[in-house]
Amino acid sequence: MQNSKTPAAGITSAPFGNLPDGTPVAIYTLKNSNGVEARVCTYGGILVSLLAPDRNGNLGDIVLGYDHLRGYLEKNPYFGALVGRCANRIAGGRFTLEDKTYSLAINNGPNSLHGGLKGFDKVIWQPTLAHVATGPALELFYLSKAGEEGYPGNLEVKTTYSLADDNSLRVDFEASTDQPTIVNLTQHSYFNLACQGDILGHQMQIEADRFTPVDSNLIPTGELRPVRGTPFDFHQATTIGARIDQDEEQIKLGHGYDHNFIVNHPMGRLDRIACASEPGSGRILEVFSDLPGVQFYTGNFLNGTITGKAGTAYHPRCAFCLEPQFFPDSPHHPNFPSIVLKPGQTYRHSVIYKLSTK
Ligand code: GLA
């Protein structure tokens, strides 16, 4: 018999407060048969919590965020959020498409970051319950109107969250447009597999032979640089903290890791691109994606001023992000894979976060 305190596997919903204008926000709980649980709210499609077992079976929340909606509304450096229309930076917030130049909302020094002032992380997504091969799923829809944050074309976006019984949380993105535009969507969770402290002792492995070096505004220079012999070589699982303060130009420009890695697999194939593990808890997080890049960010801009879940102050490097995506600032680099989406085409991108222990 089912204990009322431990709801069955499946998806349930509850209210999660209101926006200042009264719009209600809902939170959905996805639970699998092992008790793994993901909570996602309709504001920003934010992954609010992700409970993962350690090697002794104890569940811990491995993502940063807030206990209440208020925190996300007041200040959210993209904790758990869906990011778009264009994840990462676009230099000068301008790009040219089919001979027309568009100006985007500027929100990061001279650049446009993560969709602008009100990106997909700050909008209400329309929820629907659905079924995918692995079980129940939460579909979130958003219509980004032509001109929003400066982007051309009405963009219809669907993001589907599903949690399978092999302890993998899957996020599928789909988008289509009625005018040529640019699209680069990702999930921006901040992970800490120990559920406390910093992530310097976590091990990281990234399937990338090259990365894209940046300038002082974190805009790629256009170079595709081999990781070999640099602090960016994560072919072998390496402690994140081992080289994070090395006297090296790119590490200094990023204040640690805040770089796009060029993953080795061919675009469109859903492969394992990275694996993080934490020796103390035994938790392992494998990340799968079908896009050509992944931004590895070590929370360098967290400065202790944000108080998150259970009153925890979030300090630099208390979490890492692995954001599967196209390369940053793609419109200005003809040698980067194109992020242009045309009418009649469908943008598709899948990410899997697979949890296990050792
Ligand atoms: C991305 C960027 C970082 C930072 C975070 C959000 O990962 O690459 O520089 O802006 O988002 O704070």
Side-chain angles (χ1 to χ4, degrees), residues 76 78 83-84 86 88-90 92-93 104-122 149 151:
N76 184 13
Y78 307 94
V83 173
C86 259
N88 222 306
R89 293 175 176 78
I90 296 190
L104 303 173
I106 304 289
N107 62 335
N108 183 252
N111 306 316
S112 186
L113 173 69
H114 292 332
L117 293 166
K118 189 178 177 188
F120 294 179
D121 58 297
K122 296 181 188 68
E149 300 298 301
Y151 289 99

Side-chain angles (χ1 to χ4, degrees), residues 65-68 304-315:
Y66 297 99
D67 294 319
H68 305 287
T305 56
I306 287 182
T307 303
K309 292 174 185 173
T312 310
Y314 291 142
H315 294 288

Side-chain angles (χ1 to χ4, degrees), residues 155-177:
L155 189 78
E156 289 183 16
V157 192
K158 179 170 93 173
T159 305
T160 306
Y161 280 98
S162 56
L163 179 63
D165 280 336
D166 68 351
N167 294 354
S168 53
L169 176 69
R170 179 169 175 143
V171 191
D172 293 291
F173 299 95
E174 224 178 86
S176 57
T177 183

Side-chain angles (χ1 to χ4, degrees), residues 76-79 83 87-89 108 113-114 188 190 217-218 254 257-260 295-302 321-323 325 328:
N76 184 13
Y78 307 94
F79 290 149
V83 173
N88 222 306
R89 293 175 176 78
N108 183 252
L113 173 69
H114 292 332
H188 203 305
Y190 285 66
N217 283 322
L218 296 178
Y257 296 101
D258 193 355
H259 296 78
N260 168 60
Q295 184 84 7
F296 174 43
Y297 170 57
T298 42
N300 315 313
F301 295 124
L302 298 173
C321 303
L322 286 166
E323 311 155 45
Q325 54 187 265

Side-chain angles (χ1 to χ4, degrees), residues 227-234 243-244 246 248 251 257 261:
V227 295
R228 205 192 168 90
T230 77
F232 296 85
D233 188 344
F234 284 95
R243 300 163 299 183
I244 201 167
Q246 207 164 297
E248 195 269 353
I251 284 282
Y257 296 101
F261 287 69

